[in-house]
């Protein structure tokens, strides 16, 4: 069974540009999560999508946005890039339910560098 | 809001040494607790979990007990191996009310602890 995949592996942008990161969840998973792993700051929750809807959002500015497609894949868009947006962006997927916790499976990440 | 605090690293041990990585948390609800591991060059993996007070999660010789009274979830292993060298993250998931029930979607992570084990 294929795991969570992310593309591209690396992305280099300049300040002010837009970045688009993509994620494909494990087959059968409807929930997709985005996390930012900036150097020295640990993992910060960004966004959670399920069935095409945004379920929760972390403490990030509106220029961080995303969407989930009917096939449950997801895009993360970062507008007006700033130097501090340089980080590893991790995507995770899980089943969705209203009882208990479903394990989140993580992808390998996209390394975004803003120059 | 929710937060997780891990002991600062890096931690360097000799093979067969005892490992403890401290983790404490604050949460608004009754969270589930987790340890994730990130091996060099690999993605984040769930190592173990505990969903209620006094639960002990265990996997690959690692253990952690959910201590509600001290809001802690310390990771332990009796005898580490070189292959345990990795970054370890403590995390929690607070229940989020949803239509039809409760979900545990968002993970709040600690800063991570780098463990290096020497032969």
């Amino acid at each position: 069974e294929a795991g969570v995949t992310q593309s591209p592996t690396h992305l280099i942008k300049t300040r002010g540009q837009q970045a688009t990161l993509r994620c494909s969840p494990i087959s059968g998973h409807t929930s997709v999560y985005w996390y930012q792993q900036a150097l020295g700051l640990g993992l910060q929750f960004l966004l959670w999508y399920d069935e095409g809807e945004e379920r929760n959002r972390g403490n990030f500015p509106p220029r961080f946005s995303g969407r989930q497609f009917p096939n449950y894949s997801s895009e993360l868009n970062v507008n007006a890039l700033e130097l501090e947006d340089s980080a590893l962006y991790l995507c995770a997927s899980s089943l969705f339910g209203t009882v208990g916790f479903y394990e989140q499976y993580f992808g390998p990440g996209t390394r975004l560098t803003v120059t | 809001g929710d937060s997780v605090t891990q002991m600062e690293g890096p931690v360097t041990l000799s093979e067969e040494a005892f490992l403890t990585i401290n983790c404490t948390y604050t949460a608004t609800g009754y969270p589930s607790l987790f340890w994730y591991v990130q091996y060099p060059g690999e993605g984040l993996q769930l190592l173990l979990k505990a969903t209620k007070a006094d639960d002990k999660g265990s996997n690959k010789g690692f253990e952690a007990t959910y201590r509600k009274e001290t809001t802690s979830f310390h990771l332990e292993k009796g005898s580490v191996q070189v292959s345990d060298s990795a970054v370890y993250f403590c995390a929690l998931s607070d229940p989020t009310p949803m239509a039809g029930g409760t979900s545990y979607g968002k993970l709040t992570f600690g800063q991570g602890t780098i463990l290096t084990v020497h032969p």
Side-chain angles (χ1 to χ4, degrees):
Chain A
E1 179 184 291
V4 176
T5 58
Q6 293 185 243
S7 63
T9 304
H10 295 94
L11 190 57
I12 300 174
K13 295 284 187 178
T14 56
R15 277 176 55 185
Q17 285 188 318
Q18 178 195 42
T20 299
L21 289 65
R22 296 179 177 82
C23 172
S24 291
I26 290 172
S27 177
H29 287 185
T30 62
S31 277
V32 171
Y33 313 82
W34 288 95
Y35 295 88
Q36 182 195 65
Q37 189 175 18
L39 196 63
L41 293 177
L43 282 143
Q44 305 290 322
F45 168 75
L46 262 167
L47 289 160
W48 168 24
Y49 290 96
D50 185 83
E51 295 286 358
E53 291 186 21
E54 184 180 298
R55 297 289 183 172
N56 204 344
R57 182 181 180 85
N59 189 24
F60 282 83
R63 57 191 186 81
F64 286 83
S65 65
R67 54 180 173 166
Q68 186 179 34
F69 299 99
N71 66 353
Y72 303 113
S73 67
S74 176
E75 265 183 11
L76 173 69
N77 294 294
V78 188
N79 293 319
L81 284 165
E82 299 178 4
L83 295 177
E84 53 264 34
D85 296 333
S86 295
L88 181 67
Y89 289 83
L90 294 173
C91 173
S93 75
S94 78
L95 299 169
F96 176 72
T98 55
V99 178
F101 175 82
Y102 289 92
E103 179 178 348
Q104 294 185 21
Y105 294 81
F106 284 78
T110 292
R111 173 73 62 185
L112 173 64
T113 302
V114 183
T115 62
Chain B
D2 297 344
S3 68
V4 176
T5 302
Q6 285 181 237
M7 67 182 288
E8 291 188 18
V11 174
T12 303
L13 296 172
S14 298
E15 209 167 22
E16 299 184 3
F18 184 85
L19 168 71
T20 299
I21 301 177
N22 290 338
C23 171
T24 58
Y25 68 90
T26 58
T28 52
Y30 195 143
S32 293
L33 302 175
F34 312 90
W35 278 99
Y36 278 81
V37 59
Q38 191 172 33
Y39 296 105
E42 298 184 18
L44 213 58
Q45 303 172 25
L46 179 64
L47 180 60
L48 54 84
K49 69 181 182 188
T51 58
K52 60 183 188 297
D54 300 324
D55 267 2
K56 178 185 284 189
S58 61
N59 186 22
K60 299 182 181 181
F62 291 89
E63 292 182 340
T65 301
Y66 190 145
R67 300 289 187 199
K68 199 169 190 298
E69 65 276 12
T70 55
T71 62
S72 65
F73 192 54
H74 304 321
L75 182 68
E76 296 182 337
K77 186 173 186 183
S79 176
V80 293
Q81 306 299 313
V82 172
S83 57
D84 293 327
S85 298
V87 184
Y88 292 82
F89 293 91
C90 186
L92 68 82
S93 182
D94 228 349
T96 303
M98 294 278 169
T102 302
S103 191
Y104 291 77
K106 167 189 168 185
L107 286 169
T108 300
F109 286 90
Q111 293 292 90
T113 301
I114 300 172
L115 171 66
T116 303
V117 180
H118 293 298

